[in-house]
């Protein structure tokens, strides 16, 4: 078989089972693809020796007849997942030199199934950003390039994961979504991105951004692959007290193709000013596809959705400022060079000043401010109240019988690189207008590639599900995937 790196997870699993290929061959194909992909800057720490060893073990397991769904499947891992002995920096200078002594539960679950570790993937520093430009490794470039030659973002913060999957450097990738970082990069690269219900996947060993919002999930080439990979990543975990004590269902079995009678809500408040007419039309066409497949499409109202972005940009920095307090030059990673008269305070200050990038420093300052005694009620407490109202909006929609909510993933297609440093950080925050709402409510969501825009860049649509209904959500998403028939791939230029 040739071009093994271009296989889907399901395709590779079947080929492995039939003996048409081996995990070693699959892995070598991915390693070659990664070696030739430097211009994308998607992989930032490669682990070829580990990959070859794991692939050989996977082949032995397949031969012995006890393969799991992910056995022998080469994957990439977002930098913020701790992988024992492998640099895990969350794309921050402050974690330079940090080699975890322990393994995140998500990656351990994947290795337990026999998946193969190819390396670490680029991201925004600590997950803060929407373009993978806030990274100590430099920006990831979107594999989709137009005739204009302009380099575009692969989205963020999981831009490395999305670019790697879109460019066939790996068969699937782990990612995290605090305010959209799985779904937005998936939409920008023509891939599938699934953010599970809060608590479905363990956060243990995942370098924290905002603990009440963070959740890991897969970025894959197809909806079926997302089902397979989520099944491997999810678990009940005593090491994460917010991990839900619920059995992990067989998500692939939920892909029945039958969505008749499902009720899909279109939130009125998502029809914002400035939404491109192309995305608006795509939204209507997608609703039409669901109707043609036998679903009922209804208008719904999420009256507090318009406050989601400001509430998110108070709560996320507040939690981040607390989570990031542990990086002080004592316990992990890098310590600044100190001068003769420097004491412990100077060590903290110098280490944090040179270790954190500008966006992270901004968030720490905003977070500290909104949590300070004088402003706590005015900002943080108010944002928490808004969060409760946003959650109630969703509860009411689902109580009225809605099974899922349909909205665009992003207000535009991937934008040119360089936008992060234009001086107005709020412009970047506006990218998250459609994604952050569900994080505040703890809900699952998936972005499905639906087509190309006039210029030829991918566009995604998002489905938001009921809590714990990843199976139903994946089934709806697959019906859209089938109806849209999106098979385009980026032309290889790197
Ligand atoms: N872009 C959002 C932020 O910067 C979301 C990031 C994420 O989901 N990790 O906070």
């Amino acid at each position: 078989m040739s071009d093994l790196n271009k296989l889907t997870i399901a395709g590779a699993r079947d080929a492995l089972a039939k003996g048409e290929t081996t995990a070693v061959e699959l892995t070598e194909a991915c390693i070659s693809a990664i070696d030739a992909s430097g211009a994308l800057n998607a992989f930032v720490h490669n682990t070829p020796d580990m990959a070859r060893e794991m692939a050989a073990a996977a082949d032995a397991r397949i031969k012995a007849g006890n393969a799991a769904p992910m056995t022998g499947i080469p994957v990439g891992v977002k930098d913020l997942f701790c992988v024992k002995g492998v640099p895990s920096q969350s794309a921050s200078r402050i974690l330079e030199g940090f080699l975890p002594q322990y393994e995140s539960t998500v990656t351990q679950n994947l290795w337990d199934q026999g998946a193969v570790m190819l390396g670490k993937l680029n991201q925004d520093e600590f997950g803060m950003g929407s373009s993978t430009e806030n990274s100590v490794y430099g920006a990831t470039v979107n594999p989709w390039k137009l005739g204009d030659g302009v380099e575009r973002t692969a989205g963020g913060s999981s831009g490395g994961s999305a670019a790697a999957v879109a460019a066939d450097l790996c068969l699937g990738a782990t990612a995290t979504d605090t305010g959209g970082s799985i779904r937005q990069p998936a939409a920008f690269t023509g891939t599938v991105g699934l953010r599970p219900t809060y608590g479905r996947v363990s956060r243990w060993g995942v370098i924290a951004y905002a603990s009440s919002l963070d959740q890991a999930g897969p970025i894959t080439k197809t909806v079926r692959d997302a089902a397979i990979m989520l099944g491997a990543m999810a678990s009940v975990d005593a090491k994460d007290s917010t991990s839900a004590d619920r059995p992990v269902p067989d998500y692939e079995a939920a892909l029945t193709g039958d969505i008749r009678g499902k009720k899909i809500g279109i939130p009125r408040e998502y029809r914002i000013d400035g939404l491109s007419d192309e995305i608006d039309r795509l939204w209507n066409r997608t609703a039409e596809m669901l109707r043609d497949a036998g679903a009922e499409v209804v208008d719904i109202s999420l009256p507090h959705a318009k406050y989601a972005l400001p509430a998110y940009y108070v709560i996320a920095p507040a939690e981040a400022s607390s989570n990031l307090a542990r990086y002080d030059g004592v316990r992990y990673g890098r310590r600044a060079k100190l001068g003769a008269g420097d004491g412990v305070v100077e060590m903290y200050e110098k280490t944090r000043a040179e270790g954190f990038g500008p966006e992270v420093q901004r968030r720490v300052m905003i977070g500290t401010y909104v949590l300070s005694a004088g402003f706590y009620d005015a900002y943080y407490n108010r944002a928490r109240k808004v969060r409760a109202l946003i959650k109630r909006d969703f509860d009411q929609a689902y109580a009225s019988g809605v099974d899922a909510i349909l909205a665009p993933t992003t207000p535009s297609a991937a934008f040119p690189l360089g936008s992060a440093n234009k001086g107005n950080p709020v412009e970047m925050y506006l990218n998250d207008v459609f994604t952050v709402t569900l994080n505040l409510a703890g809900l699952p969501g998936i972005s499905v590639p639906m087509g190309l825009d006039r210029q030829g860049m991918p566009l995604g649509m998002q489905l938001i599900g009921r809590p714990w209904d990843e199976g139903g959500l994946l089934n709806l998403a697959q019906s859209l995937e089938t109806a849209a028939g999106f098979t385009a791939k980026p032309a290889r230029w790197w």
Side-chain angles (χ1 to χ4, degrees):
M1 288 177 93
S2 63
D3 284 344
L4 290 169
N5 51 309
K6 295 191 177 160
L7 288 175
T8 60
I9 294 175
R13 177 192 59 186
D14 298 347
L16 287 168
K18 286 193 218 136
E20 292 167 359
T21 186
T22 64
V24 168
E25 285 173 338
L26 266 171
T27 300
E28 291 300 338
C30 290
I31 291 174
S32 304
I34 293 167
D35 286 345
S37 74
L40 297 176
N41 200 24
F43 274 89
V44 291
H45 297 289
N46 300 352
T47 55
D49 297 342
M50 211 170 149
R52 291 186 171 113
E53 208 172 289
M54 290 166 102
D59 281 330
R61 181 164 167 181
I62 293 165
K63 240 199 213 119
N66 59 354
M70 290 292 290
T71 305
I73 305 295
V75 298
V77 172
K78 188 176 178 178
D79 197 32
L80 51 62
F81 290 87
C82 287
V83 176
K84 202 171 168 179
V86 175
S88 303
Q89 287 181 232
S90 209
S92 182
R93 173 161 292 128
I94 212 159
L95 279 171
E96 232 168 53
F98 169 60
L99 296 178
Q101 312 280 314
Y102 50 86
E103 188 75 33
S104 80
T105 298
V106 163
T107 48
Q108 188 61 54
N109 288 347
L110 287 167
W111 315 147
D112 285 349
Q113 279 216 358
V116 172
M117 161 76 175
L118 290 168
K120 299 307 275 301
L121 291 161
N122 205 2
Q123 58 166 93
D124 285 296
E125 186 176 2
F126 290 107
M128 298 174 191
S130 306
S131 64
T132 314
E133 290 169 285
N134 304 330
S135 164
V136 69
Y137 313 113
T140 291
V141 183
N142 196 323
W144 290 84
K145 205 169 188 176
L146 304 174
D148 61 11
V150 173
E151 290 188 335
R152 287 176 170 75
T153 176
S157 63
S158 312
S161 304
V165 173
D168 292 315
L169 310 184
C170 54
L171 274 56
T174 67
T176 55
D177 189 315
T178 304
S181 286
I182 291 178
R183 291 160 288 152
Q184 184 253 24
F188 279 3
T189 55
T191 54
V192 174
L194 171 63
R195 128 114 204 176
T197 312
Y198 184 79
R200 176 67 290 177
V201 172
S202 169
R203 289 182 296 106
W204 199 79
V206 181
I207 297 172
Y209 166 8
S211 308
S212 77
L213 301 159
D214 295 346
Q215 189 62 196
I219 293 183
T220 53
K221 299 176 191 179
T222 66
V223 172
R224 179 173 299 278
D225 285 2
I228 296 170
M229 203 164 157
L230 176 64
M233 291 168 73
S235 63
V236 187
D237 185 8
K239 294 186 201 134
D240 171 3
S241 61
T242 60
S243 138
D245 189 7
R246 287 170 170 264
V248 180
D250 180 347
Y251 294 117
E252 214 185 347
L255 305 176
T256 61
D258 183 5
I259 65 158
R260 280 171 305 176
K262 293 290 176 199
K263 202 163 153 183
I264 311 299
I266 307 269
R268 213 168 290 140
E269 293 77 10
Y270 275 52
R271 300 221 179 256
I272 54 163
D273 292 343
L275 182 64
S276 87
D277 55 326
E278 249 180 315
I279 293 189
D280 199 48
R281 277 202 305 277
L282 180 66
W283 195 1
N284 293 334
R285 259 208 325 277
T286 309
E288 216 37 63
M289 289 173 187
L290 288 166
R291 246 184 237 117
D292 290 345
E296 183 192 349
V297 179
V298 297
D299 273 339
I300 60 162
S301 175
L302 299 170
H304 299 92
K306 56 177 173 293
Y307 304 119
L309 202 59
Y312 172 86
Y313 276 100
V314 170
I315 293 170
E319 294 187 17
S321 72
S322 157
N323 274 326
L324 270 48
R326 73 189 68 172
Y327 305 111
D328 53 11
V330 178
R331 283 163 289 188
Y332 312 88
R334 185 185 165 101
R335 174 182 297 178
K337 277 210 173 53
L338 301 178
D342 285 346
V344 70
V345 173
E346 286 78 13
M347 180 187 69
Y348 295 159
E349 285 175 356
K350 288 189 177 172
T351 299
R352 289 169 69 84
E354 66 175 49
F356 289 142
E359 183 61 27
V360 173
Q361 295 194 14
R362 181 178 298 123
R363 307 269 180 121
V364 169
M365 286 199 278
I366 294 171
T368 311
Y369 179 80
V370 300
L371 289 175
S372 62
F375 297 100
Y376 186 90
D377 277 327
Y379 294 105
Y380 183 67
N381 252 345
R382 183 165 299 181
R384 281 200 342 191
K385 287 178 191 157
V386 170
R387 181 178 192 174
L389 293 172
I390 288 168
K391 167 111 179 29
R392 201 174 65 186
D393 287 350
F394 280 108
D395 289 347
Q396 281 168 351
Y398 291 131
S400 77
V402 166
D403 293 290
I405 292 165
L406 176 71
T409 312
T410 55
S412 72
F415 45 87
L417 285 173
S419 317
N421 307 314
K422 288 235 174 88
N424 183 1
V426 175
E427 246 168 61
M428 188 61 75
Y429 302 168
L430 290 174
N431 261 290
D432 308 328
V433 63
F434 296 134
T435 48
V436 296
T437 342
L438 75 77
N439 299 73
L440 290 167
L443 300 171
I446 188 165
S447 179
V448 186
M450 294 300 293
L452 299 177
D453 73 359
R454 224 176 280 125
Q455 288 190 288
M457 289 301 286
L459 293 174
M461 291 296 295
Q462 169 182 220
L463 285 161
I464 305 170
R466 291 170 173 274
W468 315 112
D469 187 25
E470 283 82 2
L473 194 63
L474 284 157
N475 190 35
L476 284 166
Q478 196 185 47
S479 133
L480 283 185
E481 180 182 55
T482 308
F486 180 87
T487 52
K489 288 296 246 177
R492 168 111 196 246
W493 56 267
W494 58 91

